[in-house]
Amino acid sequence: MTATYVFDTGFAKEDERLVLGERLWDPGTQVRLAALGVGPGWRCLEVGAGRGSVAGWMAARGASVTAVDLDTDRCRVPGVRVHRGDITREDPPGGDYDLVHARLVVQHLDRRRVAVRRMADALAPGGWLVLEDTDTASLFSHADGPFHPEVKAAAYAVMAESGYHPRCGLLDVDLAEDAGLTVHAEGRAEVVRGGTPAARWYALWLEHLRPRLLGRVSEAAVDAAVRDFADPAHTWLSQVMVTVLGRKELP
Protein backbone atom coordinates (compact mmCIF):
# COMPACT_ATOMS: atom_id res chain seq x y z
CA MET A 1 0.00 0.00 0.00
CA THR A 2 3.00 2.33 -0.18
CA ALA A 3 5.61 3.02 -2.85
CA THR A 4 8.25 1.31 -0.70
CA TYR A 5 6.25 -1.80 0.15
CA VAL A 6 8.91 -4.37 0.99
CA PHE A 7 7.29 -7.19 -1.00
CA ASP A 8 6.69 -5.10 -4.13
CA THR A 9 9.34 -6.93 -6.15
CA GLY A 10 9.56 -9.41 -8.96
CA PHE A 11 9.87 -12.41 -6.62
CA ALA A 12 8.97 -15.43 -8.75
CA LYS A 13 7.19 -17.29 -5.95
CA GLU A 14 5.13 -14.37 -4.62
CA ASP A 15 1.80 -15.94 -5.59
CA GLU A 16 2.70 -19.08 -3.66
CA ARG A 17 3.77 -16.98 -0.66
CA LEU A 18 0.45 -15.14 -0.68
CA VAL A 19 -1.56 -18.36 -0.94
CA LEU A 20 0.29 -19.89 2.01
CA GLY A 21 -0.24 -16.75 4.07
CA GLU A 22 -3.98 -17.00 3.40
CA ARG A 23 -3.97 -20.63 4.55
CA LEU A 24 -2.24 -19.66 7.76
CA TRP A 25 -4.30 -16.62 8.73
CA ASP A 26 -7.70 -16.90 6.98
CA PRO A 27 -9.31 -19.36 9.44
CA GLY A 28 -8.81 -17.03 12.40
CA THR A 29 -10.01 -14.04 10.41
CA GLN A 30 -13.13 -15.88 9.31
CA VAL A 31 -14.01 -16.86 12.88
CA ARG A 32 -13.80 -13.26 14.03
CA LEU A 33 -15.75 -11.78 11.13
CA ALA A 34 -18.42 -14.48 11.39
CA ALA A 35 -18.83 -13.64 15.08
CA LEU A 36 -19.69 -10.07 14.08
CA GLY A 37 -22.46 -11.43 11.88
CA VAL A 38 -21.10 -10.72 8.40
CA GLY A 39 -23.67 -11.96 5.94
CA PRO A 40 -26.63 -10.92 3.78
CA GLY A 41 -27.37 -7.21 3.92
CA TRP A 42 -23.88 -6.23 5.08
CA ARG A 43 -21.86 -3.69 3.11
CA CYS A 44 -18.18 -4.55 3.48
CA LEU A 45 -14.92 -2.94 2.39
CA GLU A 46 -11.69 -4.95 2.19
CA VAL A 47 -8.60 -2.72 2.22
CA GLY A 48 -5.38 -4.18 0.82
CA ALA A 49 -7.28 -7.12 -0.56
CA GLY A 50 -4.33 -9.00 -2.08
CA ARG A 51 -5.63 -12.11 -3.83
CA GLY A 52 -9.09 -11.47 -2.39
CA SER A 53 -9.50 -14.51 -0.13
CA VAL A 54 -11.21 -12.58 2.68
CA ALA A 55 -13.27 -10.47 0.29
CA GLY A 56 -14.40 -13.61 -1.51
CA TRP A 57 -15.31 -15.33 1.75
CA MET A 58 -17.49 -12.36 2.78
CA ALA A 59 -19.18 -12.28 -0.63
CA ALA A 60 -19.87 -16.02 -0.40
CA ARG A 61 -21.72 -15.34 2.87
CA GLY A 62 -24.03 -12.94 1.05
CA ALA A 63 -22.38 -9.62 1.87
CA SER A 64 -21.97 -6.81 -0.67
CA VAL A 65 -18.19 -6.45 -0.92
CA THR A 66 -15.87 -3.80 -2.33
CA ALA A 67 -12.11 -4.40 -2.38
CA VAL A 68 -9.41 -1.76 -2.76
CA ASP A 69 -5.67 -2.20 -3.32
CA LEU A 70 -2.78 -0.55 -5.11
CA ASP A 71 -2.28 -3.72 -7.15
CA THR A 72 -5.57 -5.20 -8.29
CA ASP A 73 -4.16 -7.67 -10.81
CA ARG A 74 -4.32 -10.60 -8.38
CA CYS A 75 -7.79 -9.85 -7.02
CA ARG A 76 -10.24 -11.54 -9.37
CA VAL A 77 -13.01 -12.79 -7.13
CA PRO A 78 -16.61 -13.42 -8.26
CA GLY A 79 -19.07 -11.03 -6.68
CA VAL A 80 -16.45 -8.54 -5.44
CA ARG A 81 -16.13 -5.03 -6.84
CA VAL A 82 -12.43 -4.18 -7.13
CA HIS A 83 -11.01 -0.64 -7.10
CA ARG A 84 -7.42 0.49 -7.48
CA GLY A 85 -6.53 3.03 -4.81
CA ASP A 86 -4.23 4.11 -1.98
CA ILE A 87 -5.94 4.44 1.39
CA THR A 88 -3.16 6.73 2.63
CA ARG A 89 -3.78 9.25 -0.15
CA GLU A 90 -7.49 9.09 -0.95
CA ASP A 91 -10.80 8.17 0.59
CA PRO A 92 -12.04 4.62 -0.02
CA PRO A 93 -14.77 4.14 -2.60
CA GLY A 94 -18.22 4.65 -1.15
CA GLY A 95 -19.13 4.88 2.49
CA ASP A 96 -21.57 3.84 5.19
CA TYR A 97 -19.98 0.39 5.39
CA ASP A 98 -21.05 -2.07 8.06
CA LEU A 99 -17.52 -3.49 8.07
CA VAL A 100 -14.11 -2.27 6.96
CA HIS A 101 -11.38 -4.90 7.24
CA ALA A 102 -7.63 -4.71 6.66
CA ARG A 103 -5.16 -7.52 7.43
CA LEU A 104 -1.38 -7.14 7.28
CA VAL A 105 -1.86 -3.70 5.75
CA VAL A 106 -1.44 -0.94 8.32
CA GLN A 107 1.92 -2.32 9.46
CA HIS A 108 3.35 -1.49 6.02
CA LEU A 109 1.88 2.00 5.58
CA ASP A 110 3.77 5.26 5.79
CA ARG A 111 0.75 7.30 6.96
CA ARG A 112 -0.95 4.87 9.31
CA ARG A 113 -2.94 7.38 11.34
CA VAL A 114 -4.40 8.99 8.22
CA ALA A 115 -5.26 5.61 6.72
CA VAL A 116 -7.04 4.35 9.83
CA ARG A 117 -8.96 7.61 10.10
CA ARG A 118 -10.11 7.26 6.49
CA MET A 119 -11.26 3.68 7.15
CA ALA A 120 -13.13 4.70 10.29
CA ASP A 121 -14.80 7.61 8.50
CA ALA A 122 -16.10 5.17 5.87
CA LEU A 123 -18.17 3.30 8.49
CA ALA A 124 -21.88 3.63 8.98
CA PRO A 125 -22.99 4.32 12.56
CA GLY A 126 -22.71 1.02 14.42
CA GLY A 127 -20.22 -0.31 11.85
CA TRP A 128 -17.02 -2.18 12.62
CA LEU A 129 -13.42 -1.48 11.69
CA VAL A 130 -11.36 -4.67 12.00
CA LEU A 131 -7.61 -4.24 11.78
CA GLU A 132 -5.33 -7.28 11.88
CA ASP A 133 -1.59 -6.74 12.15
CA THR A 134 1.19 -8.66 13.81
CA ASP A 135 3.32 -8.26 16.88
CA THR A 136 6.59 -9.99 16.05
CA ALA A 137 8.04 -10.41 19.55
CA SER A 138 6.95 -14.04 19.80
CA LEU A 139 8.08 -15.17 16.35
CA PHE A 140 10.39 -18.21 16.39
CA SER A 141 9.89 -18.88 20.08
CA HIS A 142 11.22 -22.45 20.24
CA ALA A 143 11.23 -25.10 22.96
CA ASP A 144 15.02 -25.35 22.80
CA GLY A 145 15.64 -21.63 23.10
CA PRO A 146 16.45 -19.00 20.44
CA PHE A 147 15.65 -20.18 16.91
CA HIS A 148 17.66 -18.30 14.28
CA PRO A 149 17.45 -14.97 16.12
CA GLU A 150 20.10 -13.34 13.94
CA VAL A 151 18.13 -14.12 10.77
CA LYS A 152 14.91 -12.84 12.34
CA ALA A 153 16.61 -9.61 13.41
CA ALA A 154 18.09 -9.08 9.96
CA ALA A 155 14.79 -9.74 8.20
CA TYR A 156 12.90 -7.23 10.31
CA ALA A 157 15.67 -4.67 9.95
CA VAL A 158 15.29 -4.94 6.17
CA MET A 159 11.52 -4.58 6.44
CA ALA A 160 11.82 -1.59 8.79
CA GLU A 161 13.86 0.21 6.13
CA SER A 162 10.72 0.09 3.98
CA GLY A 163 8.54 1.56 6.73
CA TYR A 164 7.33 -1.67 8.32
CA HIS A 165 6.34 -1.52 12.02
CA PRO A 166 7.18 -4.81 13.81
CA ARG A 167 4.67 -4.26 16.63
CA CYS A 168 1.87 -2.63 14.68
CA GLY A 169 -0.74 -5.03 16.06
CA LEU A 170 -0.51 -3.19 19.37
CA LEU A 171 -0.20 0.20 17.72
CA ASP A 172 -3.51 -0.43 15.94
CA VAL A 173 -5.31 -0.18 19.28
CA ASP A 174 -4.19 3.43 19.68
CA LEU A 175 -4.87 4.27 16.04
CA ALA A 176 -8.44 2.96 16.19
CA GLU A 177 -9.14 4.79 19.44
CA ASP A 178 -7.68 8.00 18.03
CA ALA A 179 -10.10 7.61 15.11
CA GLY A 180 -13.00 7.84 17.58
CA LEU A 181 -13.91 4.15 17.78
CA THR A 182 -14.76 2.03 20.79
CA VAL A 183 -12.13 -0.69 20.79
CA HIS A 184 -11.65 -4.28 21.89
CA ALA A 185 -8.52 -6.20 20.91
CA GLU A 186 -7.21 -9.74 21.16
CA GLY A 187 -4.28 -11.76 19.86
CA ARG A 188 -3.82 -15.20 18.38
CA ALA A 189 -0.75 -17.21 17.46
CA GLU A 190 -0.14 -20.49 15.67
CA VAL A 191 2.29 -23.26 16.52
CA VAL A 192 4.08 -24.00 13.27
CA ARG A 193 5.75 -27.33 12.47
CA GLY A 194 8.62 -27.56 10.03
CA GLY A 195 7.79 -29.06 6.66
CA THR A 196 4.18 -27.85 6.65
CA PRO A 197 2.63 -25.26 4.31
CA ALA A 198 2.74 -22.74 7.16
CA ALA A 199 6.46 -23.36 7.60
CA ARG A 200 7.04 -22.87 3.89
CA TRP A 201 5.42 -19.43 4.18
CA TYR A 202 8.27 -18.45 6.50
CA ALA A 203 10.86 -20.00 4.18
CA LEU A 204 9.50 -17.99 1.25
CA TRP A 205 9.57 -14.87 3.42
CA LEU A 206 13.32 -15.32 3.81
CA GLU A 207 13.81 -16.25 0.17
CA HIS A 208 12.01 -13.08 -0.88
CA LEU A 209 14.19 -10.96 1.39
CA ARG A 210 17.40 -12.92 0.74
CA PRO A 211 19.06 -10.39 -1.61
CA ARG A 212 18.73 -7.69 1.04
CA LEU A 213 19.60 -9.96 3.95
CA LEU A 214 23.05 -10.79 2.67
CA GLY A 215 25.54 -8.45 4.25
CA ARG A 216 23.52 -8.39 7.46
CA VAL A 217 23.79 -12.14 7.93
CA SER A 218 25.67 -14.80 6.04
CA GLU A 219 24.13 -16.81 3.25
CA ALA A 220 24.92 -19.90 5.31
CA ALA A 221 22.76 -18.57 8.16
CA VAL A 222 19.83 -17.98 5.80
CA ASP A 223 20.29 -21.44 4.28
CA ALA A 224 20.32 -23.02 7.75
CA ALA A 225 17.06 -21.30 8.69
CA VAL A 226 15.37 -22.40 5.45
CA ARG A 227 16.51 -25.99 6.05
CA ASP A 228 15.17 -25.96 9.60
CA PHE A 229 11.84 -24.61 8.41
CA ALA A 230 11.54 -27.74 6.25
CA ASP A 231 12.37 -30.09 9.14
CA PRO A 232 9.36 -31.58 11.01
CA ALA A 233 11.55 -31.98 14.09
CA HIS A 234 11.15 -28.23 14.74
CA THR A 235 8.11 -26.38 16.05
CA TRP A 236 7.93 -22.68 16.76
CA LEU A 237 5.46 -19.94 17.57
CA SER A 238 4.22 -17.55 14.93
CA GLN A 239 3.88 -13.84 15.35
CA VAL A 240 0.86 -12.79 17.37
CA MET A 241 -1.88 -11.63 15.02
CA VAL A 242 -3.62 -8.83 16.90
CA THR A 243 -7.25 -8.27 15.92
CA VAL A 244 -8.52 -4.81 16.78
CA LEU A 245 -12.31 -4.50 16.73
CA GLY A 246 -13.32 -0.84 16.61
CA ARG A 247 -16.98 0.14 16.57
CA LYS A 248 -18.42 3.45 15.43
CA GLU A 249 -20.98 4.43 18.02
CA LEU A 250 -24.61 4.92 17.10
CA PRO A 251 -25.85 8.53 17.29
Side-chain angles (χ1 to χ4, degrees):
M1 295 295 291
T2 74
T4 59
Y5 178 50
V6 68
F7 296 118
D8 186 14
T9 69
F11 183 53
K13 297 180 180 178
E14 181 63 0
D15 281 332
E16 181 186 4
R17 191 187 73 86
L18 292 173
V19 169
L20 293 174
E22 291 168 355
R23 290 181 62 177
L24 178 60
W25 298 118
D26 276 6
T29 295
Q30 292 169 7
V31 166
R32 283 150 184 82
L33 297 186
L36 294 180
V38 172
W42 279 57
R43 298 184 68 248
C44 301
L45 175 68
E46 180 72 10
V47 177
R51 295 179 66 257
S53 66
V54 175
W57 176 85
M58 292 191 293
R61 288 176 65 88
S64 173
V65 183
T66 300
V68 61
D69 205 319
L70 278 176
D71 179 3
T72 58
D73 292 341
R74 289 187 171 93
C75 190
R76 295 288 183 269
V77 183
V80 175
R81 292 177 297 278
V82 181
H83 293 262
R84 188 182 304 274
D86 183 347
I87 194 66
T88 68
R89 312 293 170 183
E90 58 197 272
D91 291 335
D96 287 331
Y97 289 103
D98 301 294
L99 171 76
V100 177
H101 175 255
R103 187 180 72 197
L104 301 178
V105 173
V106 177
Q107 61 193 34
H108 291 288
L109 299 180
D110 59 345
R111 303 172 71 208
R112 296 182 182 93
R113 194 172 303 277
V114 170
V116 172
R117 173 68 68 174
R118 289 183 190 277
M119 288 187 266
D121 287 348
L123 291 171
W128 293 93
L129 173 62
V130 180
L131 303 176
E132 296 189 287
D133 285 295
T134 54
D135 184 292
T136 64
S138 65
L139 180 60
F140 298 153
S141 296
H142 190 278
D144 294 332
F147 192 53
H148 300 291
E150 73 288 353
V151 175
K152 172 185 173 179
Y156 282 124
V158 165
M159 292 176 68
E161 289 177 348
S162 294
Y164 172 82
H165 194 302
R167 310 206 70 179
C168 193
L170 292 175
L171 178 63
D172 285 347
V173 175
D174 296 333
L175 296 177
E177 289 178 343
D178 289 348
L181 305 179
T182 301
V183 172
H184 169 75
E186 61 181 23
R188 67 185 186 274
E190 303 291 336
V191 175
V192 180
R193 181 171 295 278
T196 63
R200 180 159 173 76
W201 184 64
Y202 290 98
L204 290 177
W205 172 55
L206 294 185
E207 293 292 1
H208 197 152
L209 297 178
R210 181 187 286 266
R212 294 174 63 184
L213 290 176
L214 301 183
R216 296 179 182 271
V217 292
S218 68
E219 188 152 19
V222 178
D223 289 342
V226 171
R227 283 195 304 271
D228 280 348
F229 294 167
D231 186 348
H234 293 293
T235 56
W236 63 88
L237 198 63
S238 72
Q239 312 96 310
V240 174
M241 180 69 79
V242 179
T243 301
V244 174
L245 303 164
R247 193 172 196 194
K248 189 171 188 175
E249 294 296 333
L250 294 166

